[in-house]
Amino acid sequence: MAEQVVEILVSGGKATAGPPLGPAIGPLGVNILQVVQKINNMTKDYEGMSVPVKVIVDTDKRTFEVEVGIPPASALIKKEIGIEKGSQEPKHQVAGNITMEQIVKIAKMKQDAMLAYNLKNASKEVVGTCVSVGISVEGMTPSEAQKAIDAGQFDSYFN
């Protein structure tokens, strides 16, 4: 079986048959529009974000599979609270506030790619990312939020 793998970054839900996808997939003998349609269906939840996509083409059978990666936590945080970019001075200027519910939602999306062994620790990792983006968590600094998580204040979210 001759297998070709094409890895690209696409804008969520907005892949097209043009570059970079078309020229990479076209010569492999699969229907480019079907590939584009499948990628767009699988990435529509990540609209406005760059999403890593892997297209695996079996050139003998002319079939394909699409694997979608997860955007970075910082991109998910910004999308979740609806901001374009994080704070210019993360430790001094707050760019927004995120709820623990939103943190858990992101942690669930990212959990497979994280080293954390449970949802609570994955959520703490996402809270850690809030430091570099300049986002407060439930009105607290990210480090205060991590202490509150350790103290069990948000346990109801992790069960």
Side-chain angles (χ1 to χ4, degrees):
M1 158 173 137
E3 198 174 77
Q4 294 270 344
V5 178
V6 178
E7 293 187 48
I8 48 166
L9 270 177
V10 297
S11 184
K14 292 195 167 66
T16 67
L21 195 55
I25 304 280
L28 303 179
V30 291
N31 183 328
I32 183 72
L33 292 176
Q34 286 177 345
V35 175
V36 168
Q37 199 173 9
K38 184 156 188 181
I39 289 172
N40 287 338
N41 282 340
M42 292 173 77
T43 62
K44 64 178 178 282
D45 292 344
Y46 301 128
E47 195 176 325
M49 293 187 263
S50 290
V51 185
V53 174
K54 193 185 282 187
V55 182
I56 303 131
V57 179
D58 181 334
T59 50
D60 297 339
K61 294 182 188 156
R62 293 178 181 255
T63 58
F64 67 91
E65 277 177 56
V66 175
E67 289 177 7
V68 175
I70 309 281
S74 57
L76 294 170
I77 290 167
K78 288 183 280 194
K79 176 170 174 34
E80 194 60 45
I81 64 168
I83 60 173
E84 292 281 312
K85 55 187 187 190
S87 172
Q88 299 303 313
E89 300 174 50
K91 286 197 169 50
H92 306 291
Q93 180 188 18
V94 177
N97 183 55
I98 192 166
T99 66
M100 189 54 64
E101 196 174 321
Q102 291 170 308
I103 291 280
V104 170
K105 179 181 168 187
I106 293 166
K108 284 179 179 170
M109 283 186 208
K110 294 286 297 175
Q111 200 166 13
D112 293 343
M114 292 177 151
L115 299 172
Y117 57 90
N118 62 27
L119 187 58
K120 187 173 186 171
N121 286 9
S123 297
K124 283 178 65 179
E125 234 176 275
V126 175
V127 169
T129 305
C130 290
V131 173
S132 61
V133 187
I135 304 291
S136 60
V137 180
E138 296 278 353
M140 298 178 260
T141 67
S143 62
E144 290 168 342
Q146 285 186 328
K147 286 181 183 125
I149 290 171
D150 286 339
Q153 195 177 323
F154 297 106
D155 281 359
S156 61
Y157 290 97
F158 309 122
N159 299 332

